[in-house]
Amino acid sequence: RRPLRTRPLGERLCSAEEATAGSGTYTRHGFIFSSLAGCLEKRGEESGLPVVSVVRDAESQLLPDVGAVVTCKVCSINSRFAKVHILYVGSTPLKSTFRGTIRREDIRATEKDKVEVYKSFRPGDIVLAKVISLGDAQSNYLLSTAENELGVVVARSEAGVQMVPISWCEMQCPRTHTKDFRKVARVQPQFLQT
């Protein structure tokens, strides 16, 4: 169980008139909210309003942040987006999975109108993506694979064999030699999961 003093992500902390938003918080509609799970800290400032911050305790969950590169697994796809579970932030495994969505327009940087989700991802694929906006309790993290380094890093063929990338948009099964379309990541060494 989480200790009572830990504030969940997205909790409304106080009115923006009572305090200034410090680290780990954001202001919206005149209120200050926590942008991460952690402990509330209120620091008095001589200049007037106290500063409210939320500090992550060592035990608390690491959360995906905007701009973070995450490793995720594709759960389902349709014509408009792919649903994924976020497994790692950078190289740190998450204690619990977060849901994410990669919209059709965020798959590729060029010719966005010609992108087809089923030619980019398949359920079970392991994908490197970047967080472009934070989710809240109801919605998912929005992710993008529009950079060359982002996209599918591990995919299995119908024969159950790990496929080999042969171009930025195709992977091939080494056993059957069948080719499949994917949005392939040009993987940088620091993102390779061992």
Side-chain angles (χ1 to χ4, degrees):
R1 276 172 58 85
R2 184 190 273 160
L4 293 174
R5 62 201 174 88
T6 300
R7 302 305 178 108
L9 167 71
E11 183 183 335
R12 193 167 87 180
L13 302 172
C14 64
S15 160
E17 292 168 9
E18 298 169 35
T20 306
S23 62
T25 68
Y26 62 94
T27 309
R28 187 178 289 167
H29 308 308
F31 289 95
I32 297 174
F33 294 83
S34 60
S35 63
L36 50 87
C39 300
L40 182 65
E41 278 190 0
K42 214 169 192 173
R43 213 175 55 243
E45 290 290 316
E46 290 167 20
S47 57
L49 293 176
V51 176
V52 172
S53 309
V54 176
V55 181
R56 184 180 286 138
D57 20 327
E59 289 302 300
S60 81
Q61 171 71 287
L62 173 70
L63 292 166
D65 210 348
V66 171
V69 173
V70 295
T71 305
C72 42
K73 185 174 188 172
V74 178
C75 308
S76 64
I77 58 172
N78 65 26
S79 60
R80 297 190 327 279
F81 51 77
K83 292 272 186 203
V84 302
H85 280 153
I86 300 171
L87 308 173
Y88 286 79
V89 174
S91 57
T92 309
L94 293 173
K95 293 175 189 162
S96 57
T97 52
F98 291 91
R99 291 198 303 269
T101 302
I102 305 171
R103 298 176 302 188
R104 194 174 79 120
E105 59 268 32
D106 296 323
I107 289 174
R108 213 167 62 197
T110 55
E111 299 182 315
K112 294 181 182 192
D113 52 329
K114 295 182 181 166
V115 174
E116 292 181 79
V117 178
Y118 79 96
K119 285 187 176 179
S120 305
F121 309 116
R122 298 283 170 88
D125 286 358
I126 302 296
V127 174
L128 276 181
K130 189 171 267 187
V131 179
I132 51 175
S133 82
L134 297 179
D136 54 34
Q138 289 78 39
S139 72
N140 302 323
Y141 285 84
L142 279 184
L143 308 175
S144 164
T145 56
E147 294 169 36
N148 290 343
E149 285 72 31
L150 306 175
V152 177
V153 284
V154 179
R156 296 202 172 276
S157 67
E158 289 182 8
V161 181
Q162 188 168 323
M163 294 201 286
V164 179
I166 52 174
S167 74
W168 66 272
C169 63
E170 277 188 305
M171 285 184 149
Q172 185 171 31
C173 172
R175 186 183 294 164
T176 62
H177 303 294
T178 52
K179 294 175 185 174
D180 261 344
F181 287 108
R182 289 292 198 284
K183 196 294 181 182
V184 180
R186 188 179 73 207
V187 182
Q188 293 177 325
Q190 72 260 35
F191 295 131
L192 278 171
Q193 305 290 326
T194 47

